[in-house]
Amino acid sequence: MDYPSQPPEIVEVDLADWQDDEFYPSTVSQHSDEQVSPSKPCPLDSLPYEIMEEIAELLFVTPGQRHFLKLFSLTCKRIRRLCAPILFRSIMVSIEYKLLPGRVFHDTGKFWLYVKQLILCGSWEADYLGPSVKHHGASFLLKKLVSRLSHLNTLFVTGFGRTPIPADISHTLLSIPTLSSFILQTWENSPHPLLAIDAHPFTTTFTSFEYRVPELARSKSVLNGEWSVLEFVTTQMSSSLVRLTLPVGVISFSAISRTCWPNLRELNLEGDCELGHGQTVDIGAVLSGMPFLRSLRVSLPQGSKSHRVVMQRARQVASFPCQDLEDLTVSFPDPDDVVYSQLPPTLRRLALRCTPRHYNHRYRFEQKTLMQLGLRSPILTAFELLSVLRRCRSELLQELELEYEEDERDEELLTNISTYFPALRILTLYRYRRRDSEVDLSAVELAQALSPLRSLRMLRLHLDHSNAPHPLSAYMPDVPPGAWCRHAELLTKTAYTLAARLASLEFVCMLSRKRWSNRWLPYRVLRSQGMDTAVELDELIPAIGHLSMLDENGPRTRAQYPALEELDYYEF
């Protein structure tokens, strides 16, 4: 079963434009004496229903393309009826402006029957209470809203403010009979929107529970109510959960290790590992009760007092407890961790990375923000990473992601990737120069090192070029003209060199950092029958398979769009 792994993309749709009887827009003129000319036949009207439905589904699931679904639905009445169940599959309701004042009940269209995912966004503070809430209570209005959503299976609650979700509201949300997935997310720079959970049992069988705290949240305190969230999850959800996401700062590792998770297949541990009330991050103990786990992601930013992530210590059990593991992501792995000698042969994806990305520490305007948050980046060197990969070699691994800093063992590392993982189909490299080095990695040398990979289909690269323009160079008056054009030419030349020398490649993606956007530039490899090779940049591709062309966002700086007189703040 697929669950939403990130905040859903919402497209604003004017619900007043959808009438209750025919689900058509109110586009006919209000003047009865006006003659309406017949519309021309729609070219798409001749397509089979299944093809148009597939088009609508692709627009819905593809990142960054969902607003085109709304435009597609305006083509004709037939397509509008077809798009309605897809367009209204996920809706957002503002808590303080729609739910609490009771305005949400003014929308009486049939779209409620299509809603499968409901996003409640906002604050539960009493300042927003309308007369309906004061008379009936917020819980009554929420039950009235939920009663319209007969196909609801996912609830996404996010908001701000210091008021936790009241106990009666929490009980109503968690008691929705059709619900299978519950997502609770905080906003950056905001206190955590806690669930005020009481002791009442719930009959709802949850298969997914996610409690997300932003990786770069400024809040450095754990509120007491968060511990009740963990207790609720471990006592009432552990037997049915398939997917679980928790911040390590609000969990008790001993409580989770004492709990049996017979159906858990995906575990995501996030957040600052210094917020665990002084407890040790013991991931090995947590995994002991999850024998059928398939995906494990440990994304822990490193503070000034934290250490690299150790999943299993030498004194612990000799065998890795999750023998069906297929996907493993670890931030700041410890080279001495014995777990990399015990990984099962079922592993198909391995990511050894930094959280947040190490490139956020390369420029002062982002580095200052991370220093204020107390975050550092103990990135692995090529020598340390080589010692890890040597112990977890696999002939079946298909996807590998590495983030490291070069040293004298860099060439050996790149050469041995094909030796240790000969079946790779997707390779992602974030390679950083040493602080005292201005020498870039040659595309010819990289292609020569990776040439034994006969099954490689996609190569994604961030090579930390020494002449790369500053991300905020658009605001810098002393930047020479054409800097971005020259850098784009370098990326294109690098992509072409790799495509020409690696015959199996279909895509080469080069990372581009411009302003506050970190994007992969996808170069499609074109090969003619005479084996002539060319690359074509296709920036309209939102994703290739499960890989988005948007890389992770960096920290929020003081002003996202500064005026020229404010540039001194960034200390370029």
mmCIF file of all heavy atoms in Angstrom, residues 15-28 77 80-81 84 107-114:
data_model
loop_
_atom_site.group_PDB
_atom_site.id
_atom_site.type_symbol
_atom_site.label_atom_id
_atom_site.label_comp_id
_atom_site.label_asym_id
_atom_site.label_seq_id
_atom_site.Cartn_x
_atom_site.Cartn_y
_atom_site.Cartn_z
ATOM 1 N N LEU A 15 -14.881 25.836 -4.944
ATOM 2 C CA LEU A 15 -15.957 24.868 -4.785
ATOM 3 C C LEU A 15 -17.310 25.452 -5.198
ATOM 4 O O LEU A 15 -18.229 24.709 -5.518
ATOM 5 C CB LEU A 15 -16.011 24.404 -3.331
ATOM 6 C CG LEU A 15 -14.715 23.750 -2.819
ATOM 7 C CD1 LEU A 15 -14.886 23.333 -1.378
ATOM 8 C CD2 LEU A 15 -14.327 22.575 -3.688
ATOM 9 N N ALA A 16 -17.400 26.764 -5.192
ATOM 10 C CA ALA A 16 -18.674 27.370 -5.587
ATOM 11 C C ALA A 16 -18.946 27.205 -7.072
ATOM 12 O O ALA A 16 -20.070 27.374 -7.528
ATOM 13 C CB ALA A 16 -18.680 28.856 -5.226
ATOM 14 N N ASP A 17 -17.915 26.886 -7.828
ATOM 15 C CA ASP A 17 -18.087 26.703 -9.267
ATOM 16 C C ASP A 17 -18.620 25.326 -9.618
ATOM 17 O O ASP A 17 -18.811 25.017 -10.792
ATOM 18 C CB ASP A 17 -16.749 26.911 -9.989
ATOM 19 C CG ASP A 17 -16.372 28.381 -10.049
ATOM 20 O OD1 ASP A 17 -17.263 29.209 -9.794
ATOM 21 O OD2 ASP A 17 -15.203 28.678 -10.337
ATOM 22 N N TRP A 18 -18.838 24.494 -8.614
ATOM 23 C CA TRP A 18 -19.283 23.114 -8.891
ATOM 24 C C TRP A 18 -20.688 22.934 -8.340
ATOM 25 O O TRP A 18 -20.896 22.922 -7.135
ATOM 26 C CB TRP A 18 -18.328 22.116 -8.240
ATOM 27 C CG TRP A 18 -16.953 22.220 -8.777
ATOM 28 C CD1 TRP A 18 -16.006 23.148 -8.464
ATOM 29 C CD2 TRP A 18 -16.346 21.351 -9.726
ATOM 30 N NE1 TRP A 18 -14.867 22.931 -9.160
ATOM 31 C CE2 TRP A 18 -15.044 21.828 -9.939
ATOM 32 C CE3 TRP A 18 -16.785 20.229 -10.438
ATOM 33 C CZ2 TRP A 18 -14.173 21.218 -10.818
ATOM 34 C CZ3 TRP A 18 -15.909 19.615 -11.305
ATOM 35 C CH2 TRP A 18 -14.626 20.116 -11.495
ATOM 36 N N GLN A 19 -21.650 22.813 -9.236
ATOM 37 C CA GLN A 19 -23.033 22.691 -8.809
ATOM 38 C C GLN A 19 -23.322 21.285 -8.324
ATOM 39 O O GLN A 19 -22.637 20.334 -8.661
ATOM 40 C CB GLN A 19 -23.973 23.058 -9.964
ATOM 41 C CG GLN A 19 -23.840 24.530 -10.387
ATOM 42 C CD GLN A 19 -24.785 24.870 -11.503
ATOM 43 O OE1 GLN A 19 -25.506 24.016 -11.998
ATOM 44 N NE2 GLN A 19 -24.779 26.130 -11.911
ATOM 45 N N ASP A 20 -24.364 21.178 -7.543
ATOM 46 C CA ASP A 20 -24.662 19.913 -6.882
ATOM 47 C C ASP A 20 -25.305 18.895 -7.801
ATOM 48 O O ASP A 20 -25.187 17.698 -7.580
ATOM 49 C CB ASP A 20 -25.609 20.194 -5.697
ATOM 50 C CG ASP A 20 -25.466 19.155 -4.626
ATOM 51 O OD1 ASP A 20 -24.439 18.456 -4.627
ATOM 52 O OD2 ASP A 20 -26.371 19.053 -3.795
ATOM 53 N N ASP A 21 -25.995 19.345 -8.864
ATOM 54 C CA ASP A 21 -26.738 18.386 -9.661
ATOM 55 C C ASP A 21 -25.889 17.716 -10.733
ATOM 56 O O ASP A 21 -25.776 16.505 -10.777
ATOM 57 C CB ASP A 21 -27.959 19.065 -10.297
ATOM 58 C CG ASP A 21 -27.575 20.351 -11.007
ATOM 59 O OD1 ASP A 21 -26.401 20.737 -10.923
ATOM 60 O OD2 ASP A 21 -28.474 20.952 -11.638
ATOM 61 N N GLU A 22 -25.270 18.498 -11.594
ATOM 62 C CA GLU A 22 -24.533 17.934 -12.710
ATOM 63 C C GLU A 22 -23.021 17.971 -12.513
ATOM 64 O O GLU A 22 -22.278 17.441 -13.322
ATOM 65 C CB GLU A 22 -24.880 18.716 -14.001
ATOM 66 C CG GLU A 22 -26.305 18.546 -14.433
ATOM 67 C CD GLU A 22 -26.561 17.172 -14.999
ATOM 68 O OE1 GLU A 22 -25.598 16.497 -15.366
ATOM 69 O OE2 GLU A 22 -27.734 16.769 -15.048
ATOM 70 N N PHE A 23 -22.550 18.633 -11.436
ATOM 71 C CA PHE A 23 -21.128 18.800 -11.195
ATOM 72 C C PHE A 23 -20.477 19.560 -12.339
ATOM 73 O O PHE A 23 -19.370 19.270 -12.785
ATOM 74 C CB PHE A 23 -20.444 17.445 -11.019
ATOM 75 C CG PHE A 23 -19.407 17.478 -9.941
ATOM 76 C CD1 PHE A 23 -19.739 17.096 -8.653
ATOM 77 C CD2 PHE A 23 -18.133 17.912 -10.204
ATOM 78 C CE1 PHE A 23 -18.778 17.131 -7.649
ATOM 79 C CE2 PHE A 23 -17.169 17.952 -9.197
ATOM 80 C CZ PHE A 23 -17.499 17.560 -7.925
ATOM 81 N N TYR A 24 -21.217 20.518 -12.889
ATOM 82 C CA TYR A 24 -20.720 21.354 -13.968
ATOM 83 C C TYR A 24 -20.369 22.732 -13.399
ATOM 84 O O TYR A 24 -20.943 23.177 -12.407
ATOM 85 C CB TYR A 24 -21.783 21.550 -15.063
ATOM 86 C CG TYR A 24 -22.159 20.297 -15.788
ATOM 87 C CD1 TYR A 24 -23.357 20.224 -16.498
ATOM 88 C CD2 TYR A 24 -21.318 19.191 -15.779
ATOM 89 C CE1 TYR A 24 -23.713 19.075 -17.178
ATOM 90 C CE2 TYR A 24 -21.669 18.043 -16.459
ATOM 91 C CZ TYR A 24 -22.857 17.986 -17.153
ATOM 92 O OH TYR A 24 -23.200 16.855 -17.814
ATOM 93 N N PRO A 25 -19.478 23.463 -14.049
ATOM 94 C CA PRO A 25 -19.194 24.822 -13.608
ATOM 95 C C PRO A 25 -20.329 25.771 -13.984
ATOM 96 O O PRO A 25 -21.018 25.562 -14.976
ATOM 97 C CB PRO A 25 -17.911 25.181 -14.358
ATOM 98 C CG PRO A 25 -17.955 24.332 -15.584
ATOM 99 C CD PRO A 25 -18.646 23.064 -15.192
ATOM 100 N N SER A 26 -20.497 26.797 -13.189
ATOM 101 C CA SER A 26 -21.551 27.785 -13.446
ATOM 102 C C SER A 26 -21.044 28.815 -14.441
ATOM 103 O O SER A 26 -20.808 29.972 -14.101
ATOM 104 C CB SER A 26 -21.951 28.469 -12.145
ATOM 105 O OG SER A 26 -22.102 27.548 -11.120
ATOM 106 N N THR A 27 -20.830 28.419 -15.664
ATOM 107 C CA THR A 27 -20.259 29.310 -16.668
ATOM 108 C C THR A 27 -21.311 29.924 -17.566
ATOM 109 O O THR A 27 -21.005 30.774 -18.388
ATOM 110 C CB THR A 27 -19.259 28.542 -17.542
ATOM 111 O OG1 THR A 27 -19.929 27.414 -18.120
ATOM 112 C CG2 THR A 27 -18.092 28.065 -16.710
ATOM 113 N N VAL A 28 -22.569 29.527 -17.462
ATOM 114 C CA VAL A 28 -23.629 30.079 -18.293
ATOM 115 C C VAL A 28 -24.006 31.457 -17.770
ATOM 116 O O VAL A 28 -24.088 31.691 -16.576
ATOM 117 C CB VAL A 28 -24.848 29.146 -18.303
ATOM 118 C CG1 VAL A 28 -25.951 29.720 -19.167
ATOM 119 C CG2 VAL A 28 -24.444 27.773 -18.790
ATOM 120 N N LYS A 77 -17.278 19.178 -20.501
ATOM 121 C CA LYS A 77 -18.073 18.609 -19.415
ATOM 122 C C LYS A 77 -17.753 17.144 -19.174
ATOM 123 O O LYS A 77 -17.740 16.676 -18.038
ATOM 124 C CB LYS A 77 -19.560 18.781 -19.723
ATOM 125 C CG LYS A 77 -20.020 20.234 -19.743
ATOM 126 C CD LYS A 77 -21.498 20.351 -20.030
ATOM 127 C CE LYS A 77 -21.946 21.806 -19.997
ATOM 128 N NZ LYS A 77 -23.393 21.943 -20.276
ATOM 129 N N ARG A 80 -14.608 16.978 -17.314
ATOM 130 C CA ARG A 80 -14.817 17.494 -15.957
ATOM 131 C C ARG A 80 -15.412 16.420 -15.057
ATOM 132 O O ARG A 80 -14.990 16.240 -13.907
ATOM 133 C CB ARG A 80 -15.727 18.722 -15.992
ATOM 134 C CG ARG A 80 -15.974 19.354 -14.637
ATOM 135 C CD ARG A 80 -16.698 20.663 -14.782
ATOM 136 N NE ARG A 80 -15.846 21.660 -15.398
ATOM 137 C CZ ARG A 80 -15.116 22.535 -14.696
ATOM 138 N NH1 ARG A 80 -15.142 22.500 -13.390
ATOM 139 N NH2 ARG A 80 -14.378 23.430 -15.310
ATOM 140 N N ARG A 81 -16.372 15.681 -15.555
ATOM 141 C CA ARG A 81 -16.953 14.592 -14.765
ATOM 142 C C ARG A 81 -15.916 13.515 -14.499
ATOM 143 O O ARG A 81 -15.886 12.924 -13.429
ATOM 144 C CB ARG A 81 -18.163 14.002 -15.494
ATOM 145 C CG ARG A 81 -19.408 14.877 -15.469
ATOM 146 C CD ARG A 81 -20.636 14.078 -15.887
ATOM 147 N NE ARG A 81 -20.506 13.620 -17.261
ATOM 148 C CZ ARG A 81 -20.965 14.265 -18.317
ATOM 149 N NH1 ARG A 81 -21.567 15.446 -18.156
ATOM 150 N NH2 ARG A 81 -20.825 13.784 -19.537
ATOM 151 N N ALA A 84 -13.343 14.795 -11.754
ATOM 152 C CA ALA A 84 -13.852 15.149 -10.424
ATOM 153 C C ALA A 84 -13.378 14.198 -9.325
ATOM 154 O O ALA A 84 -12.886 14.646 -8.284
ATOM 155 C CB ALA A 84 -15.379 15.224 -10.461
ATOM 156 N N ASP A 107 -20.225 24.672 1.658
ATOM 157 C CA ASP A 107 -19.914 23.971 0.414
ATOM 158 C C ASP A 107 -20.688 22.658 0.403
ATOM 159 O O ASP A 107 -20.402 21.754 1.179
ATOM 160 C CB ASP A 107 -18.414 23.701 0.305
ATOM 161 C CG ASP A 107 -17.598 24.984 0.377
ATOM 162 O OD1 ASP A 107 -18.047 25.969 -0.221
ATOM 163 O OD2 ASP A 107 -16.543 24.976 1.027
ATOM 164 N N THR A 108 -21.691 22.567 -0.448
ATOM 165 C CA THR A 108 -22.592 21.411 -0.433
ATOM 166 C C THR A 108 -22.533 20.615 -1.724
ATOM 167 O O THR A 108 -23.523 20.104 -2.203
ATOM 168 C CB THR A 108 -24.037 21.874 -0.176
ATOM 169 O OG1 THR A 108 -24.406 22.784 -1.234
ATOM 170 C CG2 THR A 108 -24.160 22.557 1.166
ATOM 171 N N GLY A 109 -21.374 20.533 -2.341
ATOM 172 C CA GLY A 109 -21.262 19.799 -3.595
ATOM 173 C C GLY A 109 -21.040 18.321 -3.382
ATOM 174 O O GLY A 109 -20.808 17.840 -2.272
ATOM 175 N N LYS A 110 -21.099 17.601 -4.483
ATOM 176 C CA LYS A 110 -20.870 16.156 -4.429
ATOM 177 C C LYS A 110 -19.393 15.798 -4.263
ATOM 178 O O LYS A 110 -19.073 14.621 -4.120
ATOM 179 C CB LYS A 110 -21.401 15.504 -5.710
ATOM 180 C CG LYS A 110 -22.917 15.520 -5.832
ATOM 181 C CD LYS A 110 -23.345 14.816 -7.104
ATOM 182 C CE LYS A 110 -24.865 14.798 -7.228
ATOM 183 N NZ LYS A 110 -25.293 14.148 -8.486
ATOM 184 N N PHE A 111 -18.523 16.789 -4.316
ATOM 185 C CA PHE A 111 -17.096 16.493 -4.238
ATOM 186 C C PHE A 111 -16.717 15.807 -2.927
ATOM 187 O O PHE A 111 -15.705 15.113 -2.853
ATOM 188 C CB PHE A 111 -16.282 17.782 -4.402
ATOM 189 C CG PHE A 111 -16.490 18.793 -3.312
ATOM 190 C CD1 PHE A 111 -15.719 18.754 -2.164
ATOM 191 C CD2 PHE A 111 -17.440 19.781 -3.437
ATOM 192 C CE1 PHE A 111 -15.907 19.668 -1.162
ATOM 193 C CE2 PHE A 111 -17.635 20.709 -2.445
ATOM 194 C CZ PHE A 111 -16.865 20.659 -1.290
ATOM 195 N N TRP A 112 -17.510 15.975 -1.871
ATOM 196 C CA TRP A 112 -17.197 15.328 -0.596
ATOM 197 C C TRP A 112 -17.137 13.815 -0.750
ATOM 198 O O TRP A 112 -16.393 13.144 -0.026
ATOM 199 C CB TRP A 112 -18.251 15.701 0.447
ATOM 200 C CG TRP A 112 -18.263 17.149 0.833
ATOM 201 C CD1 TRP A 112 -19.228 18.060 0.523
ATOM 202 C CD2 TRP A 112 -17.267 17.849 1.578
ATOM 203 N NE1 TRP A 112 -18.897 19.289 1.022
ATOM 204 C CE2 TRP A 112 -17.706 19.199 1.685
ATOM 205 C CE3 TRP A 112 -16.070 17.488 2.171
ATOM 206 C CZ2 TRP A 112 -16.968 20.162 2.360
ATOM 207 C CZ3 TRP A 112 -15.330 18.443 2.848
ATOM 208 C CH2 TRP A 112 -15.779 19.763 2.933
ATOM 209 N N LEU A 113 -17.911 13.253 -1.670
ATOM 210 C CA LEU A 113 -17.933 11.793 -1.845
ATOM 211 C C LEU A 113 -16.632 11.276 -2.426
ATOM 212 O O LEU A 113 -16.350 10.076 -2.333
ATOM 213 C CB LEU A 113 -19.099 11.406 -2.758
ATOM 214 C CG LEU A 113 -20.503 11.791 -2.279
ATOM 215 C CD1 LEU A 113 -21.526 11.428 -3.339
ATOM 216 C CD2 LEU A 113 -20.820 11.095 -0.961
ATOM 217 N N TYR A 114 -15.830 12.147 -3.042
ATOM 218 C CA TYR A 114 -14.601 11.702 -3.680
ATOM 219 C C TYR A 114 -13.381 11.855 -2.779
ATOM 220 O O TYR A 114 -12.295 11.391 -3.131
ATOM 221 C CB TYR A 114 -14.360 12.494 -4.969
ATOM 222 C CG TYR A 114 -15.502 12.428 -5.948
ATOM 223 C CD1 TYR A 114 -16.131 13.581 -6.410
ATOM 224 C CD2 TYR A 114 -15.956 11.206 -6.419
ATOM 225 C CE1 TYR A 114 -17.177 13.520 -7.310
ATOM 226 C CE2 TYR A 114 -17.008 11.134 -7.316
ATOM 227 C CZ TYR A 114 -17.608 12.287 -7.759
ATOM 228 O OH TYR A 114 -18.643 12.210 -8.651
#
